[in-house]
Amino acid sequence: MKINKNLIVTDTKPGDDWKFDAILSEMTGLRWTVLDGGLQYKLGNTREKLKRYINFLWFPFRLFLGRKKVKNLIAWQQYYGLMYAFYCLLFHAKKENYCMIMTFIYRQRKGFLGYLQKKMIAKIVNSKYVDRILVYSQSEKEYYQRILGATKFFSAKLGLEDLTIGIEKQNRGDYILSAGRSNRDYDFLIHALLGQEHQVRIVCDALPAGRNENIRIYDNVYYEKFFQMIADCYCVVIILKDSEISSGQLVILQAMQFAKPVIVTESKAVMDYISDGQEGFIIPKDEQSLREKIDLLYNDKELYNRMSARARESYEKNFSMRSLGKQVADCFERDMRENCGKEN
């Protein structure tokens, strides 16, 4: 494992268009390098899941062993940052570096095991080994501060590299697309749209592949194949299970990149990414509202075209990788100034 002074750790190898390290280097004046954990995104079978869990334990431990070589650590994969801090706590290590954890998502579980998990997460995020934690909405920041008692959270708008490059463009396909794994309610979606006139395609590796009337489920579609499905769809629908949990932003932005209107159920977090009636619709979680908005998009071509154009425009203006890099760089430099002030 080659460890450098200013390190960004990811679970998978970033694509050529990612460039977050170059953006951060430009904006902070430091040379940032990327170290990936060697994982593949697909989680289609038990073996892949087991490899991922082992990696989440072993890779951060290797970081821990090389911690004296690192001055600044940004964990793009949250579990790398959390487990790194856990090992520092476990071995009562001297604090050697600045650590920022990105893309933090925590869903509180029920029962005694859920209680223990919450205690452990709270101990880690409140430890001296974690300096800053990034979340992707203001409501999410307030929620985690309340349940974990930590003041280290800061909110930023998620940013993505342009995934449309190299994907064959199709202005308007004929099917509805739903995708993602975290906090999705596919039972609701299937019940609402089964037997309806429009074709529906669901991409989720946590569901068994299959077909039932107008609904088809894919459990092994990733990267370019998935991006092509977004390019070929008519619109994107996201049904969230728990409105308190921040999720869905990634697929929302992917849809916006390809100029696809989005229909998403109400959540405080999604309001930072989509305006109702502009890039799509934010709806209450009821089947009639969902079917009405779908019919409206299919029947009102002027509205559809306006939302499509607005979606792409919003991505370019507010949610690029450069925009995310600037937010992270600004936070990092504020923390550096505060740390210098404390030392002086």
Side-chain angles (χ1 to χ4, degrees):
M1 176 185 285
K2 185 178 180 181
I3 296 180
N4 293 303
K5 194 173 182 180
N6 305 298
L7 201 60
I8 304 167
V9 289
T10 64
D11 49 1
T12 61
K13 185 177 181 180
D16 294 337
D17 297 320
W18 191 66
K19 301 188 186 308
F20 181 75
D21 51 336
I23 293 168
L24 209 57
S25 296
E26 175 192 337
M27 293 185 173
T28 63
L30 302 174
R31 181 175 175 269
W32 292 86
T33 56
V34 180
L35 182 64
D36 71 88
L39 287 174
Q40 299 294 320
Y41 183 74
K42 59 182 180 180
L43 295 176
N45 56 58
T46 303
R47 182 181 177 184
E48 290 294 332
K49 292 177 182 178
L50 182 60
K51 284 172 60 178
R52 191 171 183 84
Y53 294 144
I54 293 172
N55 179 274
F56 284 164
L57 297 174
W58 176 239
F59 186 83
F61 185 68
R62 294 171 69 193
L63 283 176
F64 169 76
L65 294 178
R67 66 192 181 280
K68 293 184 179 180
K69 299 178 182 178
V70 180
K71 183 176 181 181
N72 299 301
L73 175 67
I74 294 181
W76 184 278
Q77 165 51 255
Q78 67 162 347
Y79 290 112
Y80 287 168
L82 290 170
M83 290 308 300
Y84 169 77
F86 170 77
Y87 289 130
C88 290
L89 273 169
L90 182 64
F91 294 103
H92 302 283
K94 177 184 176 183
K95 181 173 172 61
E96 300 284 353
N97 39 53
Y98 172 90
C99 178
M100 178 189 291
I101 296 174
M102 295 182 63
T103 321
F104 181 86
I105 298 175
Y106 166 65
R107 184 175 183 179
Q108 190 170 349
R109 298 178 181 177
K110 297 179 180 179
F112 183 66
L113 289 178
Y115 168 78
L116 291 179
Q117 182 196 41
K118 180 182 176 182
K119 293 284 286 186
M120 185 181 79
I121 294 294
K123 188 172 182 64
I124 291 172
V125 300
N126 283 287
S127 75
K128 65 181 179 180
Y129 304 107
V130 176
D131 295 277
R132 193 63 62 187
I133 306 170
L134 182 149
V135 293
Y136 291 122
S137 73
Q138 181 64 26
S139 62
E140 191 179 11
K141 170 187 171 181
E142 295 168 358
Y143 172 71
Y144 288 137
Q145 285 182 164
R146 184 175 71 252
I147 68 169
L148 296 175
T151 59
K152 301 175 181 180
F153 292 94
F154 83 101
S155 64
K157 290 183 178 180
L158 178 61
L160 293 180
E161 69 273 30
D162 193 342
L163 302 172
T164 66
I165 298 172
I167 303 298
E168 183 179 345
K169 301 293 192 300
Q170 181 168 327
N171 292 329
R172 188 181 298 162
D174 62 350
Y175 60 85
I176 299 163
L177 179 66
S178 189
R181 185 189 315 116
S182 176
N183 194 34
R184 300 300 199 271
D185 194 342
Y186 287 118
D187 289 339
F188 176 93
L189 178 67
I190 292 170
H191 188 270
L193 300 184
L194 184 64
Q196 299 293 309
E197 63 176 305
H198 305 298
Q199 294 296 309
V200 180
R201 297 183 183 180
I202 297 172
V203 177
C204 178
D205 55 17
L207 297 177
R211 186 163 194 161
N212 187 0
E213 296 186 36
N214 61 316
I215 296 178
R216 184 172 180 179
I217 299 173
Y218 299 80
D219 66 351
N220 192 27
V221 175
Y222 303 98
Y223 302 113
E224 285 78 9
K225 289 183 179 179
F226 173 58
F227 304 150
Q228 190 64 59
M229 288 188 71
I230 301 176
D232 293 343
C233 77
Y234 188 82
C235 65
V236 171
V237 171
I238 302 171
I239 307 296
L240 300 175
K241 186 172 290 186
D242 186 343
S243 62
E244 291 293 329
I245 302 297
S246 178
S247 51
Q249 299 100 319
L250 179 60
V251 176
I252 288 174
L253 295 190
Q254 289 169 337
M256 289 167 65
Q257 287 185 336
F258 287 92
K260 304 297 178 178
V262 178
I263 301 174
V264 59
T265 51
E266 291 173 330
S267 163
K268 293 178 181 178
V270 302
M271 293 179 183
D272 291 341
Y273 293 83
I274 182 173
S275 299
D276 184 38
Q278 296 297 313
E279 303 87 1
F281 296 111
I282 301 174
I283 62 170
K285 193 176 177 181
D286 69 75
E287 295 183 7
Q288 182 177 349
S289 295
L290 174 60
R291 290 192 288 263
E292 285 178 353
K293 295 306 183 186
I294 289 173
D295 288 342
L296 183 57
L297 282 179
Y298 273 91
N299 295 328
D300 190 335
K301 303 305 181 185
E302 183 179 343
L303 172 67
Y304 179 90
N305 291 334
R306 185 169 67 248
M307 284 188 167
S308 296
R310 172 62 183 162
R312 177 66 194 188
E313 177 187 331
S314 181
Y315 159 71
E316 292 178 349
K317 183 178 180 181
N318 302 309
F319 304 110
S320 67
M321 183 63 79
R322 188 169 188 84
S323 174
L324 175 61
K326 185 178 188 312
Q327 294 171 89
V328 172
D330 288 347
C331 179
F332 172 78
E333 291 182 330
R334 282 196 304 270
D335 287 343
M336 292 299 103
R337 288 194 297 269
E338 290 177 7
N339 289 341
C340 287
K342 290 177 182 178
E343 292 174 1
N344 294 333

